[in-house]
């Protein structure tokens, strides 16, 4: 199943996947994944203007806690927290520089709003994640309808 495949890459925990599939039937795939990711905090909601607090660092720490695996050292996270940027993708690139050393990446999920929905996934699934057009709204430029990875 197409939706189940992409959902499994984004929500690799089988418990999450079962819950997603159960709730998925009433919405389209893009909306279902976004709604589920935001409601379960598997996605980090970030205003397009940037962070108010160290939301990306805290998101990584929460992910590490749930995974019981270190994705970055304390020094790297402190540097990331202090990283100054003008646009959010610059900070995402810096996060990916750090996370990629351990086989993970911070991806952006396509949205039709003025916010970012970010999630962490294994880089071994990067090609499959980036090839699926999720947002079917033709008013949105084609490249904005796909998951992105800033490197």
């Amino acid at each position: 199943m197409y939706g189940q495949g992409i959902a499994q890459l984004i929500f690799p925990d089988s418990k999450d996947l079962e819950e997603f599939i159960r709730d998925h039937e009433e919405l389209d795939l893009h909306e279902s994944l976004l709604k589920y990711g935001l409601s379960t905090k598997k996605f980090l909601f970030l205003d397009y203007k940037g962070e108010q607090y160290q939301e990306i660092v805290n998101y990584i720490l929460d992910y590490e806690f749930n995974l019981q695996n270190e994705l970055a050292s304390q020094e790297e996270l402190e540097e990331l927290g202090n990283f100054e940027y003008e646009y959010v993708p610059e900070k995402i690139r810096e996060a990916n520089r750090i996370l990629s050393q351990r086989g993970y990446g911070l991806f952006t999920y396509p949205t039709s709003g003025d916010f970012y929905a970010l999630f962490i996934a294994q880089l071994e699934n990067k090609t499959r994640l980036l090839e699926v057009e999720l947002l079917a709204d033709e008013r949105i430029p084609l490249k904005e309808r796909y998951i992105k990875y800033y490197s």
Side-chain angles (χ1 to χ4, degrees):
M1 174 188 230
Y2 158 73
Q4 186 175 346
I6 192 74
Q8 191 166 25
L9 296 176
I10 296 173
F11 310 116
D13 183 325
S14 62
K15 180 181 170 193
D16 289 337
L17 184 59
E18 290 171 14
E19 189 174 329
F20 170 77
I21 291 168
R22 189 177 52 242
D23 298 339
H24 171 65
E25 294 179 19
E26 54 196 68
L27 304 171
D28 72 35
L29 176 62
H30 171 267
E31 191 172 339
S32 296
L33 290 169
L34 183 60
K35 182 179 176 182
Y36 182 76
L38 291 173
S39 69
T40 59
K41 299 191 188 259
K42 301 288 183 188
F43 284 172
L44 171 64
F45 171 86
L46 195 61
D47 188 274
Y48 78 98
K49 294 178 184 173
E51 299 171 292
Q52 292 184 348
Y53 307 100
Q54 296 186 1
E55 290 146 316
I56 291 176
V57 169
N58 290 332
Y59 178 69
I60 292 170
L61 287 169
D62 287 345
Y63 193 89
E64 284 181 332
F65 179 78
N66 291 329
L67 191 65
Q68 293 295 307
N69 188 11
E70 183 179 280
L71 300 181
S73 70
Q74 186 172 350
E75 285 181 359
E76 291 170 323
L77 290 174
E78 286 175 8
E79 287 177 24
L80 181 62
N82 295 326
F83 184 80
E84 293 188 23
Y85 60 94
E86 187 170 354
Y87 300 106
V88 173
E90 297 169 20
K91 179 100 180 217
I92 296 170
R93 279 188 190 91
E94 184 64 15
N96 281 332
R97 185 187 62 77
I98 295 167
L99 296 175
S100 66
Q101 298 172 44
R102 291 166 178 92
Y104 286 84
L106 185 62
F107 294 83
T108 61
Y109 188 82
T111 69
S112 57
D114 57 353
F115 67 96
Y116 290 93
L118 306 174
F119 66 97
I120 294 174
Q122 292 183 333
L123 287 178
E124 68 185 31
N125 298 321
K126 180 176 148 188
T127 301
R128 292 172 53 204
L129 285 168
L130 301 183
E131 69 186 11
V132 179
E133 180 180 352
L134 289 166
L135 192 53
D137 188 342
E138 294 184 6
R139 296 170 296 172
I140 306 286
L142 182 61
K143 69 178 186 174
E144 302 299 324
R145 299 182 210 162
Y146 292 82
I147 292 172
K148 289 185 178 177
Y149 178 79
Y150 294 96
S151 59

